Amino acid sequence: MSQAFRNGDGGRIDRGKRVGFTFDGQTYEGYAGDTLASALLANGVRLVGRSFKYHRPRGIVGSGAEEPNALIQLGVGAHTEPNTRATQIALFEGLIAESQNAWPGVGFDVGAINNLVSKVIPSGFYYKTFMWPAAAWMFYEKFIRSAAGLGKAPTEPDPETYEKRSVWCDVLVVGGGPAGLAAARAAGASGARVILADEGSEFGGSLLSSRDRIEGREGADWAGDVIDDLAGMAEVRVLARTTVASYHDHNYLVAVERLNDHLPLGERQGPRQRLWKIRARQVVLATGAIERPLVFAENDRPGVMLAGAVRTYVNRYGARPGNRAVVFTNNDSAYRAAVDASDGGIAVAAIVDCRPNPEGALIRLARERGIEIVSGSVISGVRGAKQVSEVEVAALNEAGDDVVGARRSFDCDLVMMSGGWNPTVHLYSQSGGKLAWNAELATFVPATAAQKSREAGAVNGSFSLADALAEGTRAGAAAARDAGFEVEGEEVPACEAAPGDGVLALMPLWDAPSGRKGAKRFLDFQNDVTASDVALAHRENYSSVEHFKRYTTTGMGTDQGKTSNVNGLAIMAGLRGVDVPEVGHTTFRPFYTAVTVGALAGINSGPELLDPVRKTPMHNWHETHGARFEDVGQWKRPYCYLRPGETVKQAVDREVLAARTSVAILDASTLGKIDIQGPDALELINRVYTNNFATLKVGQCRYGLMLKDDGMVFDDGVTARIGENRYLMSTTTGGAPNVLNWLEEWLQCEWRDLQAYCTSVTTHWAAIAIAGPNSRRLLAELTPVDLSNDAFPFMSWQDGEIAGIPGRIFRISFSGETGFEVQVPASYALALWRALMTAGEKYSITPYGTEAMHVLRAEKGFIIAGQDTDGTTTPFDLGMGWIVSKKKGDFLGKRGLERPDTLRDDRKQLVGLLTEDPNEVIPEGAHISPSPHSAKPVPMEGWVTSSYYSPNCGRSIAMALLRRGNERIGETVALPLEDKVVRAKITKPVFFDEEGERLRG
Amino acid sequence: MLLIECPHCGPREQTEFTCGGEGHIVRPDPDTATDAEWGHYLFMRKNPKGLHFERWFHAHGCRQWFHAARSTVTHEIFAIYGIDEPPPAIDPSKAGSQ
Amino acid sequence: MAKMKYSIFSLLRQARDYHRGWPKAWRSPDPKPSYDVIIIGGGGHGLATAYYLAKEHGITNVAVLEKGWLGGGNTGRNTTIVRSNYLWDESAHLYEHSLKLFEGLSQDLNYNIMFSQRGVINLAHNEHDLKELTRRGHACRLNGIDYEMISAEQIKQIAPIINISKNIRYPVLGGSIQRRAGNARHDAVAWGYARRADEYGIDIIQNCEVTGIDIENGRVTGVQTTRGPIKARKVGAVPAGHASVVGRMAGLTLPVESHPLQAMVSEPIKPVLDTVIMSNTVHVYISQSDKGELVLGAGIDPYLSYAQRGSLDVIEHQLEALCDLYPIVKRLRIMRTWGGIVDTCPDASPIISKTPIEGLYMNCGWGTGGFKATPGSGWVFAHTIAQDRPHRLNEAFDLKRFESGFLIDEHGAAAVAH
């Protein structure tokens, strides 16, 4: 069977280019220009999938984004992609497609057993059962979950790439049908920067499916000419295969361009998809309309299709979805489809029209073709399990709520249905635009736009070609004008369409009666929601629009209700006895059609690009010398330097000992540095630190603690006075940006009278800490600066050359050891590091990492903001009351410290802990309990903030925040761990060189 | 994503800015403020549904703070004004205020 | 009004008659002129409050006033995570109480809320994360809350789609798991409470917006609504994102700010993930629903908003990190994104409190984590209203803490989104 349902001519496919593909393992052929759906139909394939819940056989319903049934697992291996709509897959050589949600196959599917018990499992059944015995849900859920989902996720990483582009334009035109093309041309002619995007591979929209003529040409040819015109306009960008998927605040729209998806794997180059982030001054939405199915008995059989879709397959693809059709409609538009189908070689057995007396130009056209019109009637049943074989037709009673009289049968293999058209208002609604119910069209149409946008054509409910062209032209011109461009003339292209074009003369038929109890009338094909489910929801009072949607799952499938929503609302309105607008509608949310995760992520993932990686100038040296790095904010810092065969603990111990016995160096470049200048720099510093800086002389440094205005510790660091009105403030590594922003906020917003200016110099200066008894000797070899204690006392700094590099030397120490910190311009830092390593060889100089730094500072009881504090910690809690000035005036956090809770004497206070067993290192985060063996919840009175093995003390040490800790020095406390209770003695949080002789030595 | 007109740099994407929250909060005199007043200053916020006068910081741009009058319902920005300027008169009903 | 009991038997019986005999899950009554208690807000917390007022305190002359449809706020917009692994005793006890109520809730309500205890994993991506999780773990263990630290390899065993390679920007260094934690069906929680509250005779009144709170001599006397004035001896407000709006009606300024919080689902796929994984550092929260969608929580938007929509960049950042952690998701598609309005407190802990106005009670500030607290919040709030004093479990969540400074800083445990 080779394309038995393909017409010999007509359509926009290239019969010269055969394209081979497989579906469910079978090989087929189509033509270039086909979609997978049109090629399958041309080959007579009707059954393409199974529904979600009942696993009922399903065929293709639509021809575009609205398709609820034909969901395909596309491609294999790493390229596989679930849930793709066959109606939107461009056919390419070697395409491999599989049906989904069926086992072992779509023809015989075990899951169809659900259909047999469907009577017991209506909407929401799961809320009413699976509750016995208690906690049994986990058991039942296993089975429910195993049936979940449609397609399969790939099991391998995606081999393709994605990219993003951010652009702005004067006018964005969404949709390349007649209205959109007219709009783009009118706007483009003004010289405005225009972007025209359409989801299809070819521009023209509805013109591609019709036989209408514009400006004396076939509509599709006219579309091609307009695209050529636009290509000649320098400021116009035309994007095919590009779906505008969402409309956000301030005219920000996001579009996905499919660059490669239509190509055979071997021909794909560059990124697969590109995400366009478009900021538009003006938007024209020409997004068209989507046909509505009719709800009638057994309307889900394969072969029941939207009338307009059949017209598209015949006219655009030369493919016949069947050979003998029955049309079922409540409006005129289906007659047009019937006429085109008839002209395209499909025998139209009858048009079943629920309207009692359909009249008009289109009806006459159908009659001219000898098509029987069965008016005032409905289809009351469809037969054919895997393909339609026969329909049953019955007359409506006068009230229109039941069928009467004898049934007639028609043999057919195709049913073309039309329940009217819904404007594609998704983007409009996402933009915040309000919708209004149009009773004549029986649908929602745009009413009041919320952003700088206009609508043109079918999205407005203007279904005739002439209106589309006129509205498009006007909207494009007006948009350009509002974007500041002059528009000369607004010529609307002349067109010739079929008589009766755009006329619907619709009679609402929301739920066609069948006269049979229990006949399934489907509303949402993908999720298997029937009209009876709506009635059940109503009966149980889930009758507000959102309850109904959620209870029945209407519109919650991959099609997001494009074909089901309005039908559902209208059926609910009927049950409630109110008008549809009173029921309202659910919110249209992004995205219009689903967007690939990779496209939304773009290139910004992976080890380098997820978040910037910040490296110090010495990074490569660290890397080649065994550094194990840790992430500190965005920075990579050496945690320790592993020698061959060493464990991490051995390395850390070695580094810690080296700093206390000879000399060790640390790359401290990541610490934040802020250069503060201006006549009021001192005043600024005094207001943000708790202690007094007024006495700090040029050449001196001072440690400072910074609080938020609630009194809680925020950051800390050493500030050096560089000049009369110049200071260099250092911050923690992670806190650097926050501190700078904090200073800026106070300076700019609150203390506008202060003349002080802050600049981040974190990466301008690299810093190396030199610690240990030999640090002075080592440094002296490299600098002419007199480093003696008298000439260069603790907490002072000097300019000087080090290893020939101009820099600054600070006599500060976070290790508690005799030490210096040297800062040089970043580009010299590696040279300095190397010079220190070379000169230090004789002292067995040892580079040390952050963990050794932590141990060294803990031995001294120096805190780390963020580790020994947690946002509820005050300086007094840390035993650092000495740093809170009583004399100076106000500073940030001062008043916060005087609140009732911060003044309590039973707060948690920082103490030291020495375990009874000196080798026992308490895990950090362990909690202290006054009654460790009591039943749970075990009372807690504090927790361990820092805990290490200290090789210098020869034992473990820990710091903890403990309730009333200050007054409990000497007591023993208990720490209940998972497997045992550890006991420890409370001490002051200083474990080494309490007097600070080394520091100052 | 909002489009914010920085008074110094022109219209820029919101991702360049840091939102500083409610503007025009007056820090009470710490020497005389009661605990309740201090708590109010630290934590209590108008959080209006509708017109909001707020601070923004062009963190990835000119690094200047400024004020914006914005609707928290529609996100429309009605005015951008200096950090030292009082809030402009704007009809709150335009911002969907409640 | 006795309801038909839900069970497999009633389901089978009803099937015989094409399900035409099911009664209403709840009535749609008109408001009476007065009630003993009015609850403002028909979300999960408000409905639970009403239910426990009736069940635990025998107070049934109660109305729940909902401005839209019940369960329509954050109850219907979250990522349905239920857990109790909080740091501070105050929070841990409250959330644990809530989790325990969840464990028997389907039976209690005779409504399957599908509480699925498939475990919640928190990932650590750096040393600081590990320390935070460890600290929280010790606290949970002593509080009697199940919590285990697990290695990256163990996580990989539970969730094979996770990438534990060291060669990503923020590798998985390990994590913690609370096995009793999991997901519940969010709508069902609201509907189940509504149905049972209604059974007690409580009036659930939808499309009834409160426009004013009547106060005489410092005491609440009733409310003004779009359906007329209604008198009440006590009023409990549970307005979630609209806390400030309702607070202002009573002259209260609250320490909450309303922000957009977004979430999204992928198209449904066959099962690939049978647990919940949260990563605070890179703001990725993932689980898979019983329909097959991957449910993804994103971070909070930085600006105030009542619009129930946020910015795309928040979603982009989340998905960037998602691709690193779960490489197979890259070819899947995001089907739908949405936003809720979260009322955030400065300490990431809620307010469940009496107010300076007699007879007026506030329950708000749940930020990003209210869903998991639904039963517990309703339970303690009902107690607070009925007894006019907080229960031991919510004493600390008093409004006054913002004056005294006794904040319950849960930023670490609360995460950004749940």
Side-chain angles (χ1 to χ4, degrees):
Chain A
M1 186 173 68
S2 173
Q3 306 201 44
F5 289 79
R6 184 82 75 180
N7 289 338
D9 56 10
R12 306 195 57 77
I13 42 164
D14 184 350
R15 288 181 176 76
K17 281 193 196 147
R18 293 162 181 275
V19 179
F21 68 100
T22 67
F23 175 67
D24 277 347
Q26 192 150 345
T27 306
Y28 298 94
E29 232 174 39
Y31 294 124
D34 261 326
T35 62
L36 176 60
S38 66
L40 286 170
L41 289 170
N43 282 286
V45 177
R46 297 289 178 262
L47 174 62
V48 295
R50 291 273 175 169
S51 63
F52 178 71
K53 187 171 162 190
Y54 301 140
H55 289 251
R56 285 171 64 98
R58 291 287 164 78
I60 295 161
V61 167
S63 59
E66 75 283 4
E67 177 59 42
N69 282 346
L71 302 182
I72 295 298
Q73 185 86 33
L74 182 65
V76 292
H79 284 90
T80 196
E81 195 184 359
N83 307 329
T84 53
R85 281 176 294 274
T87 51
Q88 291 190 302
I89 301 169
L91 197 67
F92 57 82
E93 182 64 41
L95 180 150
I96 301 171
E98 300 262 353
S99 56
Q100 300 185 153
N101 202 35
W103 184 86
V106 72
F108 173 74
D109 175 13
V110 168
I113 197 162
N114 284 359
N115 193 33
L116 300 178
V117 298
S118 64
K119 219 175 144 182
V120 191
I121 53 173
S123 281
F125 77 95
Y126 30 73
Y127 298 127
K128 294 172 179 155
T129 183
F130 305 130
M131 288 178 283
W132 186 90
W137 172 243
M138 293 301 289
F139 172 77
Y140 295 115
E141 192 191 30
K142 270 204 182 73
F143 296 95
I144 289 182
R145 274 179 92 74
S146 68
L150 293 166
K152 295 190 185 96
T155 53
E156 299 160 55
D158 189 351
E160 296 190 271
T161 60
Y162 303 84
E163 67 170 35
K164 295 183 189 181
R165 206 174 279 186
S166 295
V167 291
W168 69 270
C169 64
D170 296 308
V171 181
L172 170 67
V173 180
V174 184
L181 289 168
R185 192 161 75 169
S190 74
R193 180 172 291 185
V194 175
I195 296 176
L196 169 65
D198 189 272
E199 62 182 351
S201 53
E202 192 178 357
F203 283 85
S206 61
L207 297 172
L208 304 173
S209 306
S210 83
R211 299 188 282 171
D212 298 337
R213 297 175 69 81
I214 304 174
E215 291 178 337
R217 281 156 285 176
E218 291 274 335
D221 294 338
W222 176 81
D225 291 346
V226 173
I227 294 298
D228 289 346
D229 285 354
L230 293 172
M233 298 179 186
E235 291 296 331
V236 176
R237 187 194 295 275
V238 173
L239 298 172
R241 297 188 185 87
T242 303
T243 305
V244 179
S246 55
Y247 195 145
H248 305 268
D249 287 323
H250 299 181
N251 265 17
Y252 184 70
L253 294 93
V254 172
V256 190
E257 184 181 13
R258 289 170 294 279
L259 299 162
N260 272 340
D261 289 348
H262 60 296
L263 298 172
L265 290 186
E267 291 173 27
R268 294 185 182 182
Q269 282 180 342
R272 176 184 176 219
Q273 295 179 357
R274 178 183 292 140
L275 194 80
W276 289 85
K277 307 201 277 184
I278 305 165
R279 188 72 76 172
R281 284 194 213 283
Q282 300 287 326
V283 171
V284 176
L285 296 174
T287 46
I290 292 173
E291 195 166 17
R292 226 161 35 211
L294 284 166
V295 179
F296 58 97
E298 288 128 4
N299 61 342
D300 70 323
R301 303 272 194 221
V304 180
M305 297 178 68
L306 292 168
V310 172
R311 181 171 178 243
T312 294
Y313 288 115
V314 171
N315 285 344
R316 181 172 177 183
Y317 301 104
R320 298 186 310 279
N323 281 332
R324 187 175 164 81
V326 171
V327 178
F328 183 18
T329 186
N330 65 354
N331 71 86
D332 279 9
S333 75
Y335 286 78
R336 213 176 149 169
V339 166
D340 284 9
S342 171
D343 294 355
I346 298 174
V348 180
I351 297 177
V352 180
D353 195 325
C354 67
R355 297 173 296 178
N357 280 308
E359 284 304 335
L362 283 164
I363 286 89
R364 280 194 295 280
L365 278 182
R367 286 216 174 93
E368 280 167 21
R369 281 161 179 76
I371 299 172
E372 182 186 356
I373 295 167
V374 188
S375 59
S377 297
V378 297
I379 292 183
S380 56
V382 182
R383 273 183 278 281
K386 291 172 191 166
Q387 177 170 351
V388 173
S389 59
E390 185 184 26
V391 296
E392 183 189 271
V393 175
L396 280 174
N397 67 3
E398 236 167 80
D401 58 3
D402 206 350
V403 290
V404 289
R407 314 291 158 98
R408 285 179 69 188
S409 286
F410 292 88
D411 286 342
C412 61
D413 60 354
L414 175 65
V415 175
M416 299 164 58
M417 61 181 162
S418 178
W421 295 78
N422 293 328
T424 309
V425 293
H426 301 66
L427 293 175
Y428 167 82
S429 190
Q430 285 174 26
S431 79
K434 295 277 176 292
L435 297 170
W437 180 254
N438 179 320
E440 196 181 325
L441 304 175
T443 192
F444 287 103
V445 294
T448 320
Q451 300 202 33
K452 289 170 182 161
S453 77
R454 291 173 171 77
E455 302 73 45
V459 67
N460 261 341
S462 305
F463 294 136
S464 78
L465 179 58
D467 286 348
L469 292 168
E471 287 183 14
T473 306
R474 274 201 300 274
R481 230 177 260 125
D482 282 0
F485 292 83
E486 274 185 33
V487 181
E488 293 167 17
E490 286 179 38
E491 273 170 59
V492 177
C495 67
E496 310 153 41
D501 180 37
V503 176
L504 286 189
L506 179 144
M507 177 182 112
L509 175 71
W510 300 115
D511 180 8
S514 71
R516 284 186 291 138
K517 248 189 190 177
K520 285 199 171 64
R521 292 142 15 238
F522 283 90
L523 171 72
D524 183 312
F525 295 110
Q526 191 177 116
N527 279 351
D528 281 331
V529 183
T530 66
S532 309
D533 290 317
V534 185
L536 178 63
H538 173 253
R539 193 172 301 130
E540 298 192 89
N541 208 10
Y542 296 92
S543 25
S544 84
V545 55
E546 284 281 351
H547 288 159
F548 142 65
K549 166 189 145 182
R550 289 156 183 259
Y551 191 65
T552 62
T553 73
T554 302
M556 291 173 78
T558 63
D559 54 339
Q560 290 286 288
K562 291 189 179 65
T563 54
S564 60
N565 275 348
V566 174
N567 282 339
L569 301 175
I571 293 173
M572 179 55 83
L575 291 162
R576 283 171 55 181
V578 299
D579 293 334
V580 181
E582 201 172 311
V583 176
H585 57 82
T586 54
T587 314
F588 292 87
R589 296 280 186 181
F591 296 104
Y592 170 62
T593 51
V595 176
T596 308
V597 171
L600 287 163
I603 62 166
N604 299 321
S605 56
E608 299 290 332
L609 297 176
L610 176 65
D611 201 23
V613 179
R614 302 183 78 183
K615 296 174 180 171
T616 73
M618 297 81 111
H619 184 87
N620 290 352
W621 189 96
H622 302 323
E623 226 170 11
T624 52
H625 288 79
R628 208 188 91 157
F629 291 95
E630 72 164 317
D631 286 307
V632 182
Q634 292 173 326
W635 288 99
K636 295 282 182 192
R637 296 197 73 181
Y639 180 87
C640 64
Y641 299 81
L642 287 171
R643 287 185 181 166
E646 236 178 12
T647 65
V648 169
K649 180 178 185 303
Q650 285 167 339
V652 171
D653 285 355
R654 172 176 53 74
E655 291 170 13
V656 170
L657 281 171
R660 296 262 187 250
T661 53
S662 180
V663 64
I665 57 174
L666 171 85
D667 181 354
S669 306
T670 63
L671 288 183
K673 300 170 212 66
I674 302 169
D675 192 328
I676 305 173
Q677 301 190 37
D680 296 317
L682 171 65
E683 181 62 21
L684 170 68
I685 289 165
N686 248 346
R687 290 187 193 182
V688 297
Y689 278 133
T690 60
N691 49 338
N692 190 3
F693 277 72
T695 54
L696 190 69
K697 297 188 180 69
V698 175
Q700 289 183 330
C701 314
R702 188 162 292 168
Y703 173 79
L705 201 57
M706 212 177 269
L707 311 181
K708 283 280 167 99
D709 223 1
D710 61 359
M712 302 302 155
V713 173
F714 165 41
D715 205 84
D716 66 345
V718 169
T719 292
R721 189 166 187 179
I722 302 293
E724 186 54 32
N725 290 323
R726 185 174 184 193
Y727 295 80
L728 183 67
M729 174 186 281
S730 71
T731 75
T732 61
T733 297
N738 299 337
V739 172
L740 180 61
N741 290 352
W742 180 244
L743 299 180
E744 284 291 1
E745 181 167 7
W746 285 96
L747 266 178
Q748 291 186 34
C749 303
E750 305 298 331
W751 302 329
R752 295 186 57 79
D753 54 322
L754 293 192
Q755 290 190 55
Y757 306 91
C758 304
T759 307
S760 169
V761 292
T762 301
T763 49
H764 180 87
W765 297 96
I768 301 171
I770 309 164
N774 284 322
S775 58
R776 180 179 285 119
R777 218 166 297 150
L778 167 65
L779 191 55
E781 291 177 27
L782 298 174
T783 180
V785 176
D786 181 354
L787 300 175
S788 68
N789 223 357
D790 293 339
F792 206 147
F794 183 57
M795 295 307 274
S796 66
W797 75 274
Q798 292 185 37
D799 278 317
E801 278 195 359
I802 316 101
I805 303 162
R808 290 171 180 157
I809 305 172
F810 300 79
R811 178 82 198 278
I812 55 176
S813 168
F814 190 44
S815 58
E817 215 29 70
T818 307
F820 298 85
E821 184 177 306
V822 182
Q823 294 187 3
V824 294
S827 51
Y828 294 98
L830 181 58
L832 175 61
W833 182 272
R834 287 206 167 111
L836 284 165
M837 287 304 296
T838 307
E841 256 177 54
K842 50 186 163 302
Y843 307 115
S844 303
I845 188 169
T846 304
Y848 68 104
T850 51
E851 186 61 4
M853 172 186 84
H854 286 161
V855 177
L856 289 163
R857 65 90 204 180
E859 290 175 343
K860 290 290 299 173
F862 296 154
I863 62 137
I864 293 184
Q867 176 168 343
D868 302 297
T869 68
D870 71 0
T872 61
T873 318
T874 71
F876 295 101
D877 300 341
L878 296 171
M880 293 172 74
W882 53 269
I883 205 171
V884 181
S885 171
K886 304 275 183 303
K887 290 184 199 136
K888 74 171 180 178
D890 188 27
F891 56 87
L892 296 181
K894 185 180 189 200
R895 178 64 182 81
L897 291 173
E898 293 159 6
R899 293 176 300 154
D901 190 67
T902 39
L903 288 173
R904 273 181 16 231
D905 55 5
D906 64 344
R907 290 178 63 85
K908 289 183 184 133
Q909 291 147 351
L910 193 74
V911 295
L913 290 182
L914 292 175
T915 50
E916 286 178 346
D917 172 0
N919 289 317
E920 175 91 45
V921 182
I922 314 170
E924 279 175 0
H927 287 252
I928 301 163
S929 174
S931 49
H933 299 290
S934 78
K936 286 173 180 175
V938 178
M940 289 172 252
E941 56 178 351
W943 62 286
V944 174
T945 60
S946 295
S947 179
Y948 310 94
Y949 182 79
S950 159
N952 292 306
C953 302
R955 58 156 301 132
S956 70
I957 57 171
M959 291 150 80
L961 281 164
L962 175 65
R963 193 166 299 288
R964 293 183 188 276
N966 287 347
E967 52 190 68
R968 295 171 61 183
I969 306 287
E971 276 181 36
T972 297
V973 288
L975 297 109
L977 303 183
E978 228 155 282
D979 47 353
K980 62 183 167 188
V981 174
V982 173
R983 291 184 190 281
K985 203 171 88 180
I986 306 171
T987 68
K988 280 199 275 184
V990 191
F991 307 98
F992 189 82
D993 185 28
E994 196 174 325
E995 304 309 314
E997 281 165 19
R998 284 165 170 257
L999 204 61
R1000 293 182 174 78
Chain B
M1 183 162 50
L2 311 179
L3 184 69
I4 298 170
E5 179 115 14
C6 170
H8 309 286
C9 310
R12 293 288 190 274
E13 302 294 336
Q14 177 211 320
T15 44
E16 294 185 15
F17 300 84
T18 302
C19 185
E22 184 176 327
H24 309 290
I25 294 172
V26 178
R27 188 173 186 257
D29 179 348
D31 292 331
T32 58
T34 63
D35 290 331
E37 284 163 349
W38 198 256
H40 200 277
Y41 148 73
L42 286 176
F43 301 121
M44 300 300 165
R45 296 293 177 263
K46 294 194 182 90
N47 193 31
K49 182 173 187 178
L51 187 59
H52 190 226
F53 299 102
E54 61 194 16
R55 281 177 177 177
W56 287 87
F57 177 48
H58 198 182
H60 299 284
C62 60
R63 295 193 61 80
Q64 294 298 302
W65 282 91
F66 57 91
H67 279 119
R70 185 178 64 89
S71 165
T72 61
V73 176
T74 65
H75 298 170
E76 187 180 346
I77 296 171
F78 299 97
I80 298 281
Y81 57 101
I83 197 65
D84 55 344
E85 291 179 52
I90 291 163
D91 176 4
S93 66
K94 274 193 198 161
S97 284
Q98 288 195 353
Chain C
M1 162 171 130
K3 288 266 159 68
M4 183 185 296
K5 191 171 157 61
Y6 288 165
S7 72
I8 184 67
F9 304 108
S10 60
L11 200 58
L12 287 168
R13 250 191 327 271
Q14 285 301 319
R16 281 197 310 232
D17 188 33
Y18 300 95
H19 300 278
R20 284 177 201 187
W22 291 111
K24 283 183 196 262
W26 49 79
R27 298 161 296 133
S28 294
D30 288 325
K32 296 193 284 192
S34 93
Y35 292 92
D36 290 342
V37 179
I38 281 177
I39 303 296
I40 303 175
H45 290 228
L47 293 163
T49 305
Y51 169 64
Y52 292 117
L53 274 173
K55 185 189 176 206
E56 304 287 340
H57 306 280
I59 302 172
T60 56
N61 186 22
V62 177
V64 179
L65 308 183
E66 166 56 47
K67 74 185 171 100
W69 38 284
L70 62 92
N74 294 338
T75 303
R77 291 168 199 280
N78 62 82
T79 54
T80 78
I81 299 172
V82 176
R83 60 184 177 88
S84 65
N85 52 359
Y86 274 68
L87 172 63
W88 297 104
D89 294 353
E90 294 82 358
S91 331
H93 295 158
L94 178 62
Y95 287 102
E96 176 62 14
H97 182 64
S98 191
L99 195 150
K100 286 199 172 116
L101 289 171
F102 259 118
E103 284 175 326
L105 200 55
S106 290
Q107 288 72 34
D108 188 23
L109 299 179
N110 180 228
Y111 201 104
N112 186 2
I113 56 119
M114 304 183 200
F115 182 42
S116 172
Q117 294 177 288
R118 66 180 76 142
V120 170
I121 293 173
N122 282 80
L123 300 181
H125 297 282
N126 55 43
E127 298 290 333
H128 186 256
D129 285 355
L130 277 174
K131 286 179 182 175
E132 284 289 320
L133 287 184
T134 311
R135 177 185 173 194
R136 223 187 325 153
H138 285 289
C140 283
R141 179 171 45 77
L142 295 177
N143 271 322
I145 295 168
D146 76 303
Y147 190 105
E148 295 160 50
M149 291 299 288
I150 51 176
S151 66
E153 289 72 24
Q154 286 172 296
I155 295 169
K156 177 87 182 166
Q157 272 183 1
I158 299 169
I161 61 168
I162 199 168
N163 178 9
I164 56 167
S165 154
K166 296 279 173 275
N167 189 30
I168 61 174
R169 182 67 184 90
Y170 293 115
V172 178
L173 302 185
S176 70
I177 183 167
Q178 185 181 17
R179 295 189 195 271
R180 286 164 58 240
N183 296 115
R185 173 93 183 102
H186 54 4
D187 291 331
V189 172
W191 298 344
Y193 274 121
R195 179 166 165 271
R196 288 284 272 170
D198 179 86
E199 203 173 317
Y200 276 112
I202 289 169
D203 286 351
I204 300 163
I205 304 163
Q206 303 184 67
N207 299 308
C208 179
E209 183 170 359
V210 172
T211 54
I213 296 176
D214 298 330
I215 298 161
E216 280 170 32
N217 304 321
R219 180 169 181 100
V220 78
T221 59
V223 297
Q224 298 291 322
T225 79
T226 48
R227 295 179 68 173
I230 310 174
K231 294 228 165 296
R233 292 195 303 116
K234 293 178 175 180
V235 173
V238 207
H242 281 73
S244 298
V245 176
V246 173
R248 196 164 299 120
M249 292 176 194
L252 299 175
T253 308
L254 298 170
V256 296
E257 292 191 301
S258 300
H259 290 270
L261 177 67
Q262 298 181 84
M264 69 206 89
V265 288
S266 76
E267 293 180 338
I269 49 166
K270 294 292 174 196
V272 294
L273 179 66
D274 199 28
T275 187
V276 183
I277 307 182
M278 309 177 52
S279 178
N280 298 2
T281 302
V282 293
H283 300 323
V284 171
Y285 314 92
I286 183 171
S287 64
Q288 188 171 17
S289 77
D290 285 348
K291 281 189 69 195
E293 303 133 334
L294 295 179
V295 182
L296 307 164
I300 193 169
D301 276 87
Y303 49 84
L304 292 194
S305 172
Y306 287 82
Q308 294 188 330
R309 73 174 179 268
S311 294
L312 185 79
D313 57 276
V314 176
I315 288 173
E316 291 177 87
H317 289 316
Q318 203 230 322
L319 295 179
E320 290 161 5
L322 189 78
C323 287
D324 258 17
L325 281 174
Y326 310 96
I328 66 147
V329 303
K330 216 165 169 181
R331 287 180 88 84
L332 303 181
R333 285 184 295 262
I334 300 299
M335 183 165 79
R336 185 177 173 90
T337 73
W338 66 89
I341 313 167
V342 296
D343 45 331
T344 57
C345 263
D347 55 356
S349 288
I351 296 162
I352 319 165
S353 176
K354 295 176 67 170
T355 69
I357 295 145
E358 222 181 308
L360 179 68
Y361 310 85
M362 275 311 290
N363 184 345
C364 63
W366 290 95
T368 59
F371 177 70
K372 69 174 84 71
T374 306
S377 160
W379 197 89
V380 298
F381 198 44
H383 182 281
T384 307
I385 294 169
Q387 311 284 330
D388 193 37
R389 63 185 154 79
H391 187 270
R392 179 180 51 79
L393 286 172
N394 67 312
E395 260 174 351
F397 298 96
D398 197 282
L399 250 178
K400 290 212 182 76
R401 73 180 188 270
F402 299 97
E403 203 171 294
S404 70
F406 182 69
L407 268 53
I408 306 154
D409 184 14
E410 285 287 2
H411 282 103
V416 169
H418 307 219

